[in-house]
Amino acid sequence: MSGWAARAGRWGPALLGILASTALLAWFARLEPRWVALGWVELVPWLWVLDRTRSGKEAVLAGTVLAMTFTAAIFGWFPEALHRYSQAPLAVCWLAVLLLAPLMELQFITFALVRHHLRRTSTPPLSFWRITLTSALVYVGTEWLCPKLFAETLGQGFYASESLRQLADLAGAHGLTFLLLIGNECVLAAGKALAAREAPRRVAVPLAVLAVLLLAGTGYGRLRIWQVARETAREPALKVGVVQANITSYDKLAAETGMYEVVRMILDTHYRLSDELLQGRGVDLLIWPETVYPTTYGSPKSEAGAEFDADLSGFISERRVPLLFGTYELEQEREYNAAVFVGPGRGGELTRSAYRKTMLFPLTEWVPESLDSPWLRERLPWTGYWKRGPGPRALELTLREGRRLTIAPLICYESIFPGYVAEEARRGAELIVTLSNDSWFQGTPGPKLHLMHAAFRSIETRLPQVRVTNSGISALISATGEVLTEVPDDHRASLALSVPPPPRLTTLLVAWGDWLGPTALVLAGLLLLGRALPFRRRAP
């Protein structure tokens, strides 16, 4: 048999194994309860491939291929969205996404390489556990060290399990990923032992570990759900009105009718939907989505801008309802994406406070000053001009009848960062409020994935959340991550939401921040370098 035929004979089954794991990963990522069990077996075919690799290069190749197939399966909608936004050829967008996949999904490669190394160097009796724990630590540590564009991690698929997702208040979704990796290794070990007709103990032990993970995770989840229900039943709900007008493509509309007419239409639509909402409902706070007021509020650039400012202020004064809305803020020629709160004061005057978005989407919203140049702007005319805000903060609002509320404000992309939201929670927030513009991903899985990220932030902080978007998905999320009410993608609606009070439960993630990633790197380093650790058999 020729060398080429021999390689094809080995890599044909390997490719099938990688594609099998990719298919299982894609089903698991649908976030549906019927596919939750796949989380415990989805990587088994790929782990089997890794067991057959003969060198570090082959292990890296197996990780690289999975990174690319995973990206194509889970984020196959993104090249089309990128094409619509940038007007670059679709083929170029696909090529860019696939070429960047090994960098964006580097954890598959580091996991594969470390696991291959450990399989060659570890010796019984505890080699399986050293390989399993160290590789899983490297995986989650890599994800923390090399942040991703969409901050996805495999454990997020367990969101579809009401009980298992509650574990995220300990170590975030990455903690669920860590358990998922251990579970898959256990299934593979039991399967190999069964196929080789080894002693029953070799089959039973890994399956017992998997059973303990399932039972302990489910038990903890049920306990936390009960605690949240007990705590939130003690206080009255907050009444919050949200408006999703489903108005998108501001630039396109402005090119057709002029910017003045666009802003006029946006405001009038939100006034009408808000008035329908306010009739007899006693709303404590009204919320509009990100950049709903597409000009600088409070620092008008023209007479038309001053007219719109006065118009919006008049609306708030007449309705006597505080409003939180997305707009731009201008300070010394630096423009910010902001959430502005305006409410009627005791003497009839309007009070105002603001939060400026810090975590900006790369290139489309923000370009680092070190990279910004006329050359870059000429070649990428769609790049953004916004500046970064000062960081996480809690915003104190005065609602109707003088009621006080401290919120954790988030704008769009910020909701994917656990540590950022945990810092706002530590500052005394009672409610997460997210303003978002997901219209760039309208009609794709993007809005659903963004909603899932938001739900994990509520679990991690044990805070309810109101999420308001321009085109969907707007939602009310409980402290257990349950979506209590939602307005689907590509719909127009206004809702009065009864927001439950925060359960005031402490969480490890709020106390310690996003602690698992750096801890995993340190532990993995110790396990890889520590000859004195008991995983290594001493020479006779």
Side-chain angles (χ1 to χ4, degrees):
M1 180 181 293
S2 68
W4 181 89
R7 285 192 296 272
R10 283 197 310 111
W11 279 100
L15 183 58
L16 290 177
I18 293 172
L19 292 177
S21 273
T22 302
L24 294 172
L25 286 163
W27 283 325
F28 184 58
R30 293 182 179 182
L31 305 179
E32 298 173 8
R34 58 178 172 167
W35 302 119
V36 166
L38 293 182
W40 302 109
V41 299
E42 61 186 358
L43 292 177
V44 169
W46 182 59
L47 295 175
W48 172 81
V49 171
L50 295 182
D51 282 351
R52 290 165 53 92
T53 56
R54 298 180 179 179
S55 67
K57 289 183 179 179
E58 288 189 358
V60 168
L61 179 60
T64 300
V65 174
L66 182 61
M68 297 178 74
T69 58
F70 173 85
T71 299
I74 305 300
F75 297 109
W77 51 270
F78 184 62
E80 176 63 31
L82 187 61
H83 162 68
R84 290 200 307 264
Y85 184 83
S86 67
Q87 298 302 307
L90 181 59
V92 172
C93 295
W94 262 107
L95 182 62
V97 168
L98 290 178
L99 289 177
L100 287 173
L103 179 62
M104 301 303 296
E105 305 297 338
L106 187 62
Q107 75 281 355
F108 289 126
I109 299 172
T110 58
F111 175 90
L113 186 59
V114 167
R115 191 176 182 277
H116 174 79
H117 167 72
L118 292 173
R119 288 186 68 250
R120 291 176 60 250
T121 59
S122 298
T123 55
L126 297 176
S127 56
F128 169 75
W129 298 111
R130 183 187 184 199
I131 294 168
T132 297
L133 293 176
T134 307
S135 301
L137 290 168
V138 166
Y139 189 103
V140 297
T142 301
E143 288 193 314
W144 174 81
L145 187 64
C146 306
K148 307 177 189 180
L149 193 62
F150 296 110
E152 81 285 348
T153 187
L154 298 182
Q156 290 166 342
F158 284 129
Y159 173 72
S161 169
E162 182 184 20
S163 296
L164 290 178
R165 71 186 183 215
Q166 307 306 322
L167 290 164
D169 73 358
L170 297 174
H174 291 90
L176 291 169
T177 298
F178 183 74
L179 297 182
L180 180 150
L181 293 168
I182 294 175
N184 276 260
E185 292 279 16
C186 288
V187 171
L188 177 64
K192 289 169 63 177
L194 189 63
R197 298 183 179 179
E198 296 182 9
R201 177 178 175 276
R202 301 295 296 273
V203 178
V205 169
L207 292 181
V209 171
L210 177 60
V212 168
L213 292 179
L214 281 168
L215 292 174
T218 301
Y220 178 83
R222 299 315 302 176
L223 172 64
R224 293 303 258 177
I225 291 169
W226 174 79
Q227 288 176 330
V228 169
R230 181 191 63 184
E231 292 293 324
T232 56
R234 298 178 178 177
E235 299 179 38
L238 178 75
K239 188 72 73 173
V240 175
V242 303
V243 175
Q244 178 178 302
N246 200 27
I247 302 174
T248 62
S249 305
Y250 291 179
D251 292 340
K252 181 180 178 181
L253 292 173
E256 295 172 353
T257 64
M259 194 62 194
Y260 179 91
E261 294 301 327
V262 170
V263 178
R264 181 77 274 160
M265 181 268 292
I266 292 171
L267 287 178
D268 287 345
T269 302
H270 281 80
Y271 293 156
R272 177 175 58 81
L273 291 171
S274 297
D275 281 337
E276 294 174 359
L277 177 66
L278 294 173
Q279 292 179 1
R281 286 191 172 90
V283 171
D284 297 303
L285 173 65
L286 182 64
I287 307 178
W288 295 351
E290 179 190 15
T291 62
V292 65
Y293 189 77
T295 184
T296 53
Y297 179 78
S299 303
K301 298 178 180 179
S302 64
E303 292 184 4
E307 173 190 333
F308 290 131
D309 278 7
D311 198 34
L312 183 56
S313 297
F315 170 83
I316 297 168
S317 296
E318 291 173 10
R319 275 67 173 183
R320 302 294 299 170
V321 60
L323 173 66
L324 182 68
F325 63 100
T327 183
Y328 312 153
E329 275 208 319
L330 186 65
E331 182 182 2
Q332 298 178 352
E333 299 184 355
R334 298 171 67 90
E335 198 163 293
Y336 300 87
N337 186 351
V340 170
F341 173 79
V342 181
R346 293 181 178 178
E349 76 288 352
L350 294 181
T351 61
R352 173 183 166 184
S353 56
Y355 165 79
R356 293 173 175 177
K357 184 177 182 180
T358 299
M359 310 301 288
L360 301 172
F361 200 84
L363 293 182
T364 60
E365 290 188 320
W366 165 74
V367 177
E369 293 185 5
S370 59
L371 299 179
D372 202 356
S373 66
W375 181 90
L376 180 69
R377 297 287 179 180
E378 181 180 350
R379 284 156 182 79
L380 302 176
W382 41 267
T383 51
Y385 286 90
W386 280 327
K387 303 302 180 183
R388 294 175 61 126
R393 62 171 297 196
L395 198 63
E396 189 174 15
L397 313 181
T398 301
L399 310 181
R400 273 188 168 178
E401 300 179 357
R403 181 175 179 179
R404 310 288 285 183
L405 175 70
T406 302
I407 67 168
L410 301 171
I411 300 179
C412 197
Y413 193 52
E414 293 175 328
S415 66
I416 75 172
F417 298 99
Y420 192 93
V421 184
E423 175 59 29
E424 293 192 333
R426 274 194 295 272
R427 300 185 180 204
E430 304 164 84
L431 172 69
I432 300 172
V433 176
T434 302
L435 311 185
S436 191
N437 178 359
D438 288 355
S439 63
W440 311 112
F441 308 128
Q442 194 171 20
T444 75
K448 184 178 180 181
L449 293 175
H450 206 175
L451 176 65
M452 176 269 297
H453 274 286
F456 269 107
R457 304 297 84 82
S458 283
I459 297 169
E460 293 158 358
T461 60
R462 294 302 174 193
L463 292 177
Q465 180 175 176
V466 174
R467 187 170 189 270
V468 187
T469 74
N470 61 334
S471 61
I473 303 170
S474 299
L476 171 61
I477 304 170
S478 76
T480 63
E482 181 183 1
V483 177
L484 302 174
T485 307
E486 68 175 83
V487 182
D489 185 29
D490 197 23
H491 282 66
R492 173 177 290 185
S494 57
L495 298 175
L497 306 175
S498 294
V499 181
R504 303 188 188 282
L505 296 174
T506 58
T507 74
L508 199 59
L509 198 127
V510 170
W512 292 0
D514 195 6
W515 63 272
L516 179 60
T519 303
L521 285 179
V522 172
L523 291 177
L526 292 174
L527 290 171
L528 286 170
L529 300 175
R531 286 181 171 270
L533 293 177
F535 291 102
R536 194 179 189 90
R537 180 193 288 177
R538 295 185 180 182

